[in-house]
Amino acid sequence: SDRGSGSAQPAAPAPYATTSTESVRLDRISSVVLSRVVADPEAYTPGTLPHEVVLTIGWGAVSRIDLEPAGCGDPGCEADHGYTGSTTADDLSLRISEAGDGPETVRQTLEFARALSEATAPTGR
């Protein structure tokens, strides 16, 4: 067999994961958005735990741009109306569900979102 002087490497590398952590001052947070998902909205009782929540926190590092062709109300119009869209702060987005994470985790996420909103809301205006 041919043995080189270098170290042996496996034919297929083992799976690995990389994580990153960013610390952000509370005064840099520009948006806290909490979306609630409930089943059977006509029968929803206020105060009932949602089935799922999505917490999105933005501090200006990452933004998402959603664009679509602009149009008018005339179905026969062939003019180019350009584009319309919106930008959304999207630095961190967490999806927590009752089915996947448990009701206590959903409750804790709601409490955290409320505390974070209060801590980052502008005061004295």
Side-chain angles (χ1 to χ4, degrees):
S1 74
D2 182 26
R3 295 185 184 189
S5 61
S7 62
Q9 294 189 6
Y16 65 92
T18 302
T19 63
S20 299
T21 303
E22 180 178 6
S23 297
V24 178
R25 291 189 330 259
L26 284 176
D27 63 359
R28 284 193 54 209
I29 294 176
S30 56
S31 68
V32 177
V33 179
L34 181 68
S35 301
R36 295 171 178 86
V37 178
V38 298
D40 196 12
E42 298 88 17
Y44 175 73
T45 303
T48 303
L49 197 63
H51 291 280
E52 180 179 305
V53 294
V54 178
L55 174 61
T56 304
I57 304 169
W59 55 89
V62 178
S63 293
R64 180 180 71 239
I65 299 175
D66 295 318
L67 293 175
E68 63 183 38
C72 66
D74 181 0
C77 180
E78 295 182 13
D80 182 357
H81 295 285
Y83 289 88
T84 185
S86 62
T87 61
T88 306
D90 201 15
D91 294 304
L92 176 66
S93 188
L94 300 171
R95 178 181 171 264
I96 308 296
S97 70
E98 185 178 25
D101 304 296
E104 184 56 28
T105 305
V106 172
R107 190 180 302 31
Q108 289 173 353
T109 303
L110 291 169
E111 291 172 6
F112 175 73
R114 183 173 40 253
L116 185 61
S117 292
E118 291 172 2
T120 59
T123 57
R125 290 188 183 176

